[in-house]
Amino acid sequence: MRATLQRVTRATCTVEGELTGQTGPGLLVLLGVAPGDTDATAHAMAAKIAKLRIFGDEQGRMNRSVQDIGGGILSVSQFTLYADTRGGNRPSFTAAAPPDHARALYHTFNAALRALGLPVGEGVFGAHMVLGLTNDGPVTLTLDLD
């Protein structure tokens, strides 16, 4: 499982002009699922993200988690995180999980975040989504549990 996190002051997801998910201060999480990922992987990724200290404390040091600041998450499934561009000019996505497997683990991941007390807005799995965000910092990190 792979996630790209962007620390945001706000983020939105729109599908066909309709708002499907949003968050205020917190994280935009782009989540990619690999074929070998399991429910345990989804829970581990959620726990890591919830506790990752990337928000500023009183001294401006990255010492607080999204849980610590009372922030939220906008979670968006993104198979393109598993793109392989080494072989030419057209990316290959064979390292990404099949849609049914990825969809199930995306929902497991979101449920795990909610179980940790985080408000979670969602994208729409498999849809063409338009994301709006205000990156805070900017702070962008990639987590890999492969």
Side-chain angles (χ1 to χ4, degrees):
M1 191 166 278
R2 184 173 291 162
T4 296
L5 314 177
Q6 293 187 303
R7 193 175 72 184
V8 298
T9 57
R10 67 166 193 80
T12 61
C13 179
T14 306
V15 175
E16 296 181 7
E18 188 173 321
L19 182 68
T20 65
Q22 64 184 337
T23 190
L27 297 171
L28 169 61
V29 177
L30 307 173
L31 185 74
V33 178
D37 291 336
T38 65
D39 284 356
T41 312
H43 284 275
M45 181 65 85
K48 177 73 172 180
I49 289 170
K51 295 175 185 169
L52 193 64
R53 298 184 315 175
I54 60 171
F55 292 88
D57 62 13
E58 295 81 17
Q59 289 79 39
R61 293 190 177 147
M62 287 190 197
N63 209 20
R64 291 189 172 148
S65 70
V66 69
Q67 287 178 315
D68 294 335
I69 67 157
I73 291 180
L74 175 59
S75 173
V76 176
S77 177
Q78 188 165 354
F79 75 96
T80 60
L81 291 179
Y82 278 101
D84 182 352
T85 58
R86 295 174 292 175
N89 294 324
R90 183 174 184 271
S92 168
F93 301 104
T94 58
D100 289 344
H101 182 65
R103 180 182 291 110
L105 290 183
Y106 170 64
H107 291 301
T108 298
F109 169 77
N110 292 335
L113 289 170
R114 287 186 183 102
L116 293 167
L118 293 165
V120 179
E122 295 185 21
V124 176
F125 187 93
H128 179 92
M129 295 173 271
V130 176
L131 303 179
L133 68 128
T134 303
N135 198 314
D136 180 24
V139 173
T140 303
L141 301 170
T142 300
L143 304 178
D144 221 330
L145 293 185
D146 291 340

